[in-house]
Amino acid sequence: MKYLCILLSFLICSTATAQDVAPPPAEEFVLPEPGEILPLRRGASAPHDGLLIEAADLLRIQQEYDRMRYLLTRTSERDREICDVRIAMEGARLTACEERLRLRDELWTARQTELNLLLTEARAEARRAAERGWYENPILWFLVGVAVTVVVWIAVSVR
């Protein structure tokens, strides 16, 4: 059995390599429309160069070709729609990020303004606290203390 399989594989390979007509390259291969199929009788000469295929095989190839072309068109349309949706989503995400950044900047600017106002108020209060009124002058209080002491001393000594 093993030898029979080997012999058959050699025969199949030899018949496959014995063909001298190669199919045209894919760029040059154009399927005819079903109305362009020219029937030929066995043994008759072909009107032009080409590949002879049975009608049933040609129709099956044409059907597969149309199905693949439809699938490719539909797949590319679907992929284009998916890409358009993804682009729209990324655009919305970009807009949301820009809005969030703008709001964050406004928040920090408002907070900075608030802290600057508090700092200005604190500095003004510190300046007011640092300035002394006439009644807070230490020399004045020293002189008042001396006068009170003199008055008390006189009052104590007069008695």
Side-chain angles (χ1 to χ4, degrees):
M1 186 68 173
K2 179 179 177 183
Y3 296 112
L4 182 63
C5 289
I6 293 173
L7 181 63
L8 285 176
S9 67
F10 281 130
L11 287 176
I12 291 173
C13 290
S14 64
T15 57
T17 57
Q19 296 177 357
D20 58 327
V21 177
E27 300 85 34
E28 297 176 10
F29 186 73
V30 177
L31 286 176
E33 294 297 323
E36 296 176 357
I37 299 174
L38 298 174
L40 292 177
R41 293 185 180 238
R42 192 173 296 276
S45 63
H48 50 77
D49 289 342
L51 186 63
L52 295 177
I53 300 176
E54 289 190 28
D57 292 338
L58 181 62
L59 290 176
R60 184 178 49 78
I61 291 171
Q62 183 71 38
Q63 180 185 15
E64 286 295 316
Y65 176 76
D66 289 341
R67 186 177 71 81
M68 288 298 191
R69 186 174 59 196
Y70 171 76
L71 286 176
L72 180 63
T73 304
R74 186 64 194 125
T75 303
S76 64
E77 288 173 358
R78 187 195 67 209
D79 290 345
R80 187 176 297 114
E81 290 171 359
I82 288 172
C83 287
D84 290 343
V85 168
R86 286 183 180 169
I87 288 171
M89 286 173 49
E90 289 300 321
R93 184 176 295 149
L94 176 65
T95 304
C97 287
E98 288 172 348
E99 183 68 18
R100 186 173 48 200
L101 181 63
R102 186 186 62 78
L103 289 174
R104 187 173 294 155
D105 285 346
E106 287 177 5
L107 174 70
W108 285 111
T109 303
R111 182 68 177 152
Q112 180 183 11
T113 304
E114 178 184 344
L115 290 175
N116 283 339
L117 182 62
L118 289 174
L119 182 63
T120 304
E121 289 174 0
R123 283 182 180 162
E125 190 166 325
R127 209 174 301 119
R128 278 192 301 269
E131 294 174 0
R132 295 184 183 148
W134 61 270
Y135 52 88
E136 295 177 335
N137 194 342
I139 297 171
L140 173 69
W141 287 109
F142 176 74
L143 293 176
V144 169
V146 170
V148 168
T149 306
V150 169
V151 169
V152 170
W153 183 69
I154 293 174
V156 170
S157 26
V158 169
R159 268 188 176 211

